[in-house]
Structure formats: structure tokens, C-alpha cells
């Protein structure tokens, strides 16, 4: 009968242990022999008692050294295990835009402070894009509260940045090519008559190009600001982040109209075609009715864009008779200071007209980055005469909209 695989593994392990034990014993035996030779070296006559004593002492010494060596190894392993057990796993978190900007400024602090007239431009490139959301970059922004109704809190930095909610990506080209959905014919259905063909479905897809656009700006500061790196970091983080994000927001909403235009959300959106005249009803119908129907349930609404004043108007809805604040039951609600209409997150931007709304599925869009925001320091003759310097921030990005029917815009008040 042939041995099983387990028996073979067991025999191999026992053989390894036997060899290791034999090697250890051999090492101890060699040590004992050397110690005995040293103890009896130079003696012409050695009695049995002297020999036994020499051997006994050598064995005791060798065993003690072996134990000490083994204990040292055990102590080292124990220390490593104890150290490992005391290490608290660190949660991997994404750095914010401001964190990366501060790191970049600190790494270039010496070059910034030594920047003088005639120096070549200094590039302060960030290693990563980072989280550019206002919540992550300004966690301690003080809210201004007007207690009109529970949950209505206005935060000066709590603005909507569309790139925070739209899925993103990166690219290394000058443009992106993506599939644009333009409707189709037919649908999958029940097939019961074998004498006719099964239902045919046609999807109309076209290749759409979106060229990367520059988003850029600059700020001029006093030369002495370079002497205080900590203050400079704070200043640039506050000013440049807000300016850059504001320009980014406008680009996503309005696109560009240059030689290689990029279509923005407002131009791409399909007009509302429902019959409701109430603002809440129209927003809900545009999303859960029109978008779902026109895209054959492929897209479902996630957000609604409103002008800040329009959002406040919905939040301060009053009953016609009593004039009391009366939010439509189950349709409009506040949670953690956020307005929700029909389960859609309402985000506000001054880029929307007060009379309009835009309901969309964020998954029908993609905001793609070609160049992460980059900061550069300049000094020219005109600036040098006034002891000033210029910081320039710029990046490149573009917008892809996969299906125009997943975006619906219209007037908040209409006639059935």
C-alpha cells in the first residue's frame, strides 16, 4: 500500500526536524570537544577524574551558551511580535487639494523664499489631484445660521461643486472619444411565434469628441509674503481653491464655445415635457417620470440643480390658507441641512437662473482631468518695480455627457 500525501508530508517534516536537531547537537558537541582540548592542553598526564571534570565543565558551559543563544533569539522574536501587536492599523485616507498644496509649498519653501528678480519661473507641481471638495478642505468653516426653519443652515463655503458629484477620471491625451447615446429602436420582448423573427433591438451610438480645456487664473501678492510660508499656504489655499472651483463649476454647466467646443449640462439637457405646473411636481416628474421613461429605465435621477433663492423658496413653502410653513408631506424634506425633493439631492449654484431647474442622473456624465491644478511662481519687470510676485494656477479638464435624455431642464412654474 502506497503512503498518502499527508503521510509523505509528515515524514518529510519529521526528517527536517531530525536533521535540524542533529545539527544543533553536533554544534554543541564540537564546542565541548574544543573546550576539553583547551583544558587538557599541555598536560603530560591526565587522570580519569581530570578528564571527567573537564568534559563535565565543557558540557555545562556549552549547554549554557546554547540556552543563552536560544533565549536571545526568543526574546527578539517576542519583541517583534509585541511591537507588531501594538501598531494600530492606519486607515488610508485621501488627501485634500489643500493638503497636497501645502505639501508642495513646504517642499519648495527654500526655493520660494530665495526667489528673486531674474530667477526663472518656479513650478510648484502637486503630486496628486487630491479631494477638492470644500467639506474636506474647509472642515472648520464657521456656518452663518438664520433660524427660519429647522435644518435651513447657510454655510459660506458650502457651495455645490459639480465635479464633486460627477464621476471622474484621468487621461493623457489632448481629447477623449466617448460613446454618445442617441436613442434607438425596438426592445427585448416575449417571443411566442416561431414563424417570425425574435425582437430586434438597435442602439444608436455615435463617437463624440471632447477636447481638454484650460482652467486658469493668477493672484498677485506682496514680496514679503514669501517670508511666512505657513501664512502663504493658508492664503493660497483659501483664495485659489475657491476661484478654481468656481470656474470649474461654470465650465461644467456652460461648456465652451471656442473652435473645439465642449457641450455643458445646460445646453445638453432635454426640455421638460410633462403636464405639471407646481415646482415640486415638475422636478419629481422630470426625474422619475421623463428621465426613466425616455431612457427606458436605464438611467434614474440622482440630483436637481437650483438657484439658491429657488431652493430657499421651496424650503419655505407656505400653505395657501393659513400661511404657515407647510412642506409637501413626503415630497420635500431636510436632512443634515440638505434639501431633498422626491428623493433627489438638491444642490444650489448661482449659475442656474432663479426660474429654472435641472434634474439629472450623475452617472450619465464624466468629468475627466488631463492636468491636475498646477501652481507656478513668476516675477517680471513690472511686478519687480512694485515688489510683487505672481502665483498662477491652471489645470486641464473636459466633460463627457453620455445621454442627453438623462438630463432634463425646465421652468419651475409652468402651465399644464
Amino acid at each position: 500500500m502506497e503512503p498518502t500525501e499527508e503521510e509523505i508530508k509528515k515524514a518529510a517534516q519529521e526528517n527536517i526536524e531530525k536533521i535540524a536537531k542533529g545539527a544543533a547537537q553536533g554544534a554543541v558537541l564540537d564546542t565541548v570537544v574544543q573546550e576539553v582540548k583547551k583544558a587538557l592542553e599541555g598536560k603530560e598526564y591526565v587522570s580519569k577524574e581530570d578528564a571527567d571534570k573537564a568534559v563535565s565543565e565543557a558540557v555545562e558551559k556549552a549547554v549554557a551558551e546554547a540556552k543563552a543563544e536560544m533565549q536571545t533569539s526568543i526574546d527578539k522574536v517576542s519583541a517583534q511580535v509585541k511591537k507588531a501587536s501594538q501598531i494600530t492599523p492606519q486607515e488610508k485616507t485621501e488627501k485634500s487639494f489643500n493638503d497636497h498644496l501645502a505639501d508642495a509649498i513646504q517642499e519648495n519653501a527654500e526655493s520660494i523664499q530665495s526667489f528673486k528678480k531674474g530667477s526663472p519661473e518656479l513650478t510648484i507641481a502637486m503630486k496628486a489631484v487630491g479631494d477638492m471638495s470644500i467639506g474636506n478642505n474647509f472642515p472648520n468653516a464657521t456656518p452663518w445660521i438664520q433660524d427660519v426653519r429647522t435644518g435651513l443652515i447657510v454655510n459660506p463655503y458650502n457651495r455645490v461643486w459639480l465635479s464633486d458629484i460627477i464621476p471622474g477620471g484621468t487621461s493623457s491625451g489632448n481629447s477623449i472619444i466617448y460613446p454618445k447615446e442617441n436613442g434607438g429602436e425596438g426592445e427585448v420582448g416575449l417571443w411566442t411565434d416561431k414563424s417570425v423573427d425574435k425582437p430586434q433591438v438597435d442602439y444608436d451610438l455615435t463617437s463624440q469628441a471632447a477636447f481638454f480645456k484650460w482652467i486658469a487664473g493668477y493672484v498677485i501678492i506682496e514680496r514679503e509674503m514669501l517670508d511666512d510660508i505657513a501664512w502663504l499656504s493658508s492664503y493660497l489655499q483659501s483664495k485659489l481653491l475657491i476661484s478654481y472651483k468656481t470656474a470649474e463649476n461654470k465650465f461644467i454647466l456652460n461648456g465652451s464655445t471656442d473652435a473645439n467646443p465642449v457641450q455643458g449640462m445646460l445646453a445638453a439637457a432635454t426640455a421638460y415635457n410633462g403636464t405639471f405646473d407646481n415646482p415640486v411636481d415638475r422636478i419629481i416628474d422630470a426625474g422619475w417620470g421623463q428621465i426613466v421613461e425616455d431612457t427606458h429605465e436605464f438611467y434614474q435621477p440622482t440630483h436637481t440643480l437650483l438657484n439658491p433663492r429657488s431652493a430657499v423658496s421651496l424650503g419655505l413653502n407656505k400653505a395657501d390658507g393659513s400661511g404657515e410653513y407647510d412642506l409637501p408631506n413626503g415630497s420635500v424634506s431636510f436632512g443634515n441641512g440638505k434639501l431633498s425633493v422626491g428623493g433627489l439631492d438638491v444642490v444650489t449654484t448661482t449659475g442656474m437662473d432663479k426660474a429654472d431647474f435641472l434634474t439629472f442622473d450623475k452617472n450619465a456624465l464624466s468629468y475627466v482631468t488631463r492636468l491636475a491644478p498646477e501652481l507656478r511662481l513668476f516675477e517680471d519687470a513690472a511686478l519687480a518695480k512694485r515688489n510683487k510676485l505672481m502665483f498662477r494656477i491652471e489645470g486641464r479638464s473636459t466633460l463627457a455627457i453620455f445621454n442627453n435624455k438623462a438630463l432634463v431642464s425646465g421652468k419651475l412654474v409652468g402651465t399644464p
Side-chain angles (χ1 to χ4, degrees):
M1 181 177 179
E2 294 185 357
T4 64
E5 183 178 354
E6 286 297 322
E7 290 173 339
I8 293 174
K9 288 182 179 180
K10 184 178 180 181
Q13 182 64 31
E14 290 175 349
N15 190 38
I16 292 172
E17 292 175 355
K18 182 178 179 181
I19 293 172
K21 184 176 180 181
Q25 290 175 344
V28 172
L29 180 59
D30 290 341
T31 301
V32 170
V33 171
Q34 294 298 326
E35 288 295 325
V36 171
K37 286 183 178 180
K38 186 185 299 183
L40 301 179
E41 188 176 3
K43 295 184 178 181
E44 296 181 358
Y45 173 77
V46 179
S47 64
K48 183 177 182 302
E49 290 76 10
D50 289 340
D52 289 341
K53 182 181 178 181
V55 171
S56 179
E57 290 176 351
V59 169
E60 288 180 4
K61 182 179 180 182
V63 171
E65 290 176 353
K67 286 183 177 179
E69 185 177 350
M70 181 175 293
Q71 187 62 45
T72 300
S73 299
I74 293 174
D75 291 343
K76 287 182 180 179
V77 173
S78 298
Q80 291 174 348
V81 171
K82 183 178 180 180
K83 181 179 179 181
S85 66
Q86 293 175 341
I87 296 176
T88 302
Q90 297 295 319
E91 182 180 358
K92 184 178 180 182
T93 58
E94 182 182 4
K95 280 190 173 184
S96 69
F97 171 85
N98 275 349
D99 290 334
H100 284 300
L101 179 56
D103 290 344
I105 293 174
Q106 289 294 337
E107 290 173 3
N108 292 274
E110 184 176 345
S111 299
I112 292 174
Q113 291 177 326
S114 62
F115 192 86
K116 58 185 179 181
K117 183 178 180 180
S119 298
E121 67 179 51
L122 174 62
T123 300
I124 306 172
M126 287 173 283
K127 297 178 180 178
V129 178
D131 182 350
M132 294 186 69
S133 64
I134 289 299
N136 196 24
N137 285 280
F138 298 95
N140 298 316
T142 303
W144 293 349
I145 302 175
Q146 182 180 6
D147 191 6
V148 178
R149 184 179 176 88
T150 302
L152 276 179
I153 299 176
V154 181
N155 185 321
Y157 286 119
N158 190 20
R159 295 196 38 202
V160 58
W161 306 116
L162 294 173
S163 61
D164 295 341
I165 60 177
I166 295 175
T170 58
S171 173
S172 58
N174 290 320
S175 65
I176 61 172
I177 303 294
Y178 65 94
K180 185 83 170 184
E181 302 172 24
N182 293 300
E185 299 80 31
E187 60 183 2
V188 175
L190 189 64
W191 181 62
T192 58
D193 187 351
K194 296 183 178 180
S195 64
V196 299
D197 294 337
K198 297 174 183 178
Q200 181 178 349
V201 182
D202 293 323
Y203 296 116
D204 296 334
L205 299 175
T206 59
S207 294
Q208 184 75 33
F211 288 83
F212 288 102
K213 303 300 177 182
W214 289 98
I215 298 177
Y218 66 89
V219 59
I220 295 177
I221 66 170
E222 299 293 336
R223 174 64 179 79
E224 55 264 28
M225 290 183 183
L226 299 186
D227 298 332
D228 190 344
I229 292 297
W231 188 93
L232 177 64
S233 299
S234 176
Y235 177 84
L236 293 178
Q237 287 169 348
S238 300
K239 296 296 182 181
L240 288 185
L241 178 61
I242 294 295
S243 296
Y244 190 90
K245 295 292 281 185
T246 300
E248 187 181 64
N249 223 42
K250 291 179 180 179
F251 170 59
I252 294 174
L253 276 175
N254 303 305
S256 71
T257 56
D258 57 314
N260 296 305
V262 172
Q263 191 175 42
M265 293 178 66
L266 291 175
T270 303
Y272 174 64
N273 59 16
T275 59
F276 292 95
D277 62 345
N278 180 276
V280 171
D281 295 340
R282 291 170 76 87
I283 290 173
I284 295 174
D285 184 43
W288 297 109
Q290 186 171 337
I291 289 178
V292 173
E293 181 180 56
D294 288 355
T295 64
H296 303 285
E297 302 184 65
F298 188 82
Y299 290 103
Q300 297 206 346
T302 58
H303 294 80
T304 290
L305 290 180
L306 294 175
N307 182 278
R309 286 295 179 89
S310 300
V312 171
S313 178
L314 288 182
L316 299 181
N317 184 74
K318 292 183 179 181
D320 293 335
S322 64
E324 296 179 349
Y325 294 120
D326 182 27
L327 295 179
N329 186 28
S331 297
V332 181
S333 63
F334 286 103
N336 298 322
K338 299 295 183 181
L339 178 65
S340 174
V341 177
L344 307 177
D345 291 334
V346 174
V347 288
T348 59
T349 173
T350 54
M352 290 291 297
D353 189 273
K354 296 177 184 178
D356 299 336
F357 72 90
L358 174 60
T359 298
F360 64 98
D361 183 348
K362 67 177 183 179
N363 298 301
L365 304 99
S366 181
Y367 189 66
V368 185
T369 300
R370 172 66 175 84
L371 174 67
E374 179 185 76
L375 196 63
R376 290 192 178 187
L377 175 60
F378 299 88
E379 182 185 52
D380 59 19
L383 292 173
K385 292 176 183 179
R386 297 181 179 272
N387 209 30
K388 295 179 182 292
L389 296 167
M390 182 179 75
F391 277 98
R392 184 187 72 194
I393 188 171
E394 61 184 5
R396 292 179 69 191
S397 54
T398 192
L399 179 68
I401 302 177
F402 302 114
N403 192 323
N404 290 1
K405 292 183 179 179
L407 296 82
V408 174
S409 64
K411 298 295 181 181
L412 284 168
V413 178
T415 303

